[in-house]
């Protein structure tokens, strides 16, 4: 077994090296590359990505996995070896089911769809995008067929982002969540406590914003010896190895929240990747286990920590020192309320904690209806607007601010949206369990101490990388199945207090 396992790691290591090289090129593309480099870069990336894929689905890896599977049955199921054989086999079998011809079609169609989406969004004209979106959907329906039999037509798509999770679980969770969230948003709208967030919209020096953000994430435990922060139009985290995990942010000179919470969010993703065990390096398990678990980490640092009172007890006077003329006279309580303003809005990425999940559920429901052929692509704008009104009480004035706002569908990405909401739920599940294990957690945060908090997540989540399927990992960490209840309770308590409900 030893020889074969060594050979498997060698091959997987080469795939991982190619993927890391592609990630460096992608990072450069979005940070420092001059616009003229775009054409050449897309060729570099296409070649490296194809080579990585070919190397991975290669017969030799299949034979090694086959040989190792029966032997791995005798190993401790939690050992790196057993988990690597199990998870890599799963991914290998999935990727082998997708014909190269489909991959080429998909790449061609989505590249056209992406262009027509950009044009349609600019002109707020859905019919420009409609035929291409139709083709993308057709390809996604074909994709799903490669994975028959399935319980639900949406399962194979969800599984790409949340291995092992079933659509029926998500439907059930969302059914529990939706009425409570709608109810909460309505109660807030009717509350007599109106919050003013004008203090966040002043002129804030960009360098000081940058420095304050970095000071905070250093205190959180983001390791700058194994990472760095740069600017990009859309913030993201990327990892080239466990020892080089980078983040980006964007800074608005007239609005404090964008850079600050963006930095905290990405640092959450990055600390997860920095905390993965070295023993998983250069294997497919060296990243986070799923998008939802990843999002649980980013949302925790951004919201459960970064938008909490204890955190600002520790950091508000520091922020005032950076911005004495802008915030010197603003009281901590008023600042805390301002960063937690709830306001139903049209755009998902700008949504607050209380309304965010409603944006997600809308998209999830539309994707399901399209796949189940209960909704036609041409009817999307109308149904989108109806649901916005029903859930949030706002109606988009045009399709650019409605159905055309997200990039995902134009790239052929379906099954992704729900992971954002599931991340919120997982974050509060972990938080509740952690509070039991660290009884003075809030006190520690008020003192600006995060070692225990980060240490808890290192132990329960980070170190395991992709060894366990996401819901298995959550269960190991919390002892519970995925549930909406902790998140609903968190929202009700937090916003009940802020809005006197
Ligand atoms: Zn994120």
């Amino acid at each position: 077994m030893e020889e074969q396992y060594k050979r498997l790691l060698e091959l997987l290591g080469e795939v991982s090296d190619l993927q890391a090289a592609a990630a460096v090129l992608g990072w450069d593309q979005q940070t420092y590359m001059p616009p003229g480099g775009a054409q050449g870069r897309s060729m570099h990336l296409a070649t490296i990505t194809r080579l990585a894929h070919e190397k991975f689905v290669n017969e030799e890896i299949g034979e090694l996995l086959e040989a190792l599977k029966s032997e791995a049955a005798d190993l401790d199921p939690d050992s790196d070896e057993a988990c690597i054989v199990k998870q890599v086999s799963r991914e290998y079998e999935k990727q082998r089911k997708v014909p190269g011809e489909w991959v080429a079609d998909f790449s061609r169609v989505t590249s056209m769809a992406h262009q027509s989406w950009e044009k349609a969004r600019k002109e707020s004209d859905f019919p420009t995008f409609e035929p291409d979106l139709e083709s993308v959907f057709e390809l996604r329906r074909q994709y799903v067929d490669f994975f028959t039999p399935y319980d639900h037509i949406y399962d194979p798509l969800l599984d790409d982002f949340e291995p092992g999770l079933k659509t029926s679980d998500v439907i059930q969770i969302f059914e529990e969540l939706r009425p409570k969230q709608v109810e909460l948003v309505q109660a807030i709208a009717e509350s007599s406590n109106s919050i003013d967030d004008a203090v966040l919209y002043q002129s804030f020096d960009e360098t000081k914003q940058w420095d304050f953000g970095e000071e905070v994430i250093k205190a959180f435990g983001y390791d700058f010896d194994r990472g760095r922060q740069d600017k990009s139009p859309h913030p993201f985290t990327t990892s080239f190895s466990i020892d080089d995990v980078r983040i980006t942010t964007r800074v608005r000179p007239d609005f404090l929240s964008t850079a600050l919470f963006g930095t905290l969010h990405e640092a959450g993703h990055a600390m997860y990747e920095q905390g993965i065990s070295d023993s998983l390096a250069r294997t497919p398990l060296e990243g986070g286990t799923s998008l939802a678990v990843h999002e649980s980490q980013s949302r925790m640092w951004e919201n459960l920590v970064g938008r909490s009172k204890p955190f600002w007890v520790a950091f508000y006077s520091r922020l005032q020192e950076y911005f004495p003329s802008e915030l010197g006279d603003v009281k901590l309580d008023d600042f805390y309320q301002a960063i937690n303003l709830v306001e139903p809005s049209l755009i998902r990425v700008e949504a607050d904690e209380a309304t965010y999940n409603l944006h997600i559920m809308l998209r999830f429901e539309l994707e399901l209806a399209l796949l189940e052929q209960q909704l036609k692509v041409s009817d999307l704008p109308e149904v989108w607007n109806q649901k916005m009104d029903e859930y949030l009480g706002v109606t988009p004035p045009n399709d650019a601010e409605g159905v055309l706002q997200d990039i995902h569908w134009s790239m052929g990405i379906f099954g992704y949206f729900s992971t954002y909401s599931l991340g919120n739920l997982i974050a509060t599940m972990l938080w509740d369990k952690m509070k039991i294990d660290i009884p003075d957690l809030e006190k520690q945060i008020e003192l600006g101490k995060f070692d225990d908090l980060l240490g808890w997540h290192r132990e329960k989540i980070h170190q395991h990388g992709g060894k366990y399927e996401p819901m298995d990992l959550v269960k190991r960490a919390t002892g519970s199945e995925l549930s909406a209840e902790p998140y609903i309770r968190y929202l009700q308590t937090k916003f009940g207090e802020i809005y006197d409900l």
Side-chain angles (χ1 to χ4, degrees), residues 265-266 269 295 298:
H265 181 98
E266 298 308 327
H269 282 301
E295 204 63 14
S298 56

Side-chain angles (χ1 to χ4, degrees), residues 17-75:
D17 293 344
L18 287 169
Q19 287 166 340
V24 178
L25 294 177
W27 170 82
D28 173 69
Q29 184 175 34
Q30 295 183 65
T31 50
Y32 295 104
M33 188 186 80
Q39 180 98 30
R41 186 55 48 88
S42 73
M43 304 300 287
H44 311 152
L45 280 167
T47 302
I48 296 193
T49 315
R50 180 173 53 76
L51 289 175
H53 177 76
E54 283 171 9
K55 252 190 176 312
F56 182 66
V57 295
N58 165 304
E59 295 286 344
E60 189 184 355
I61 290 194
E63 285 159 17
L64 287 167
L65 286 169
E66 208 41 58
L68 286 165
K69 253 196 273 183
S70 52
E71 304 202 32
D74 299 331
L75 294 171

Side-chain angles (χ1 to χ4, degrees), residues 1-17 19 52 54-72 75 79-93 279-286:
M1 156 147 197
E2 214 150 285
E3 276 308 302
Q4 287 167 321
Y5 185 69
K6 236 177 84 189
R7 177 67 183 147
L8 178 68
L9 288 188
E10 210 174 285
L11 293 172
L12 293 175
E14 287 174 1
V15 175
S16 160
D17 293 344
Q19 287 166 340
E54 283 171 9
K55 252 190 176 312
F56 182 66
V57 295
N58 165 304
E59 295 286 344
E60 189 184 355
I61 290 194
E63 285 159 17
L64 287 167
L65 286 169
E66 208 41 58
L68 286 165
K69 253 196 273 183
S70 52
E71 304 202 32
L75 294 171
S79 66
D80 288 346
E81 291 82 356
C83 290
I84 284 172
V85 171
K86 181 177 168 202
Q87 302 301 351
V88 174
S89 300
R90 187 183 193 286
E91 189 53 33
Y92 182 82
E93 278 154 30
S279 63
L280 301 173
R282 290 179 79 239
T283 78
L285 276 55
E286 75 178 326

Side-chain angles (χ1 to χ4, degrees), residues 158 161-162 291-292 295 360 415-424:
L158 184 65
F161 306 109
E162 294 304 317
L291 289 183
E295 204 63 14
I360 297 302
Y416 186 114
F417 282 116
S418 60
T419 69
Y420 292 118
S421 286
L422 299 174
N424 285 330

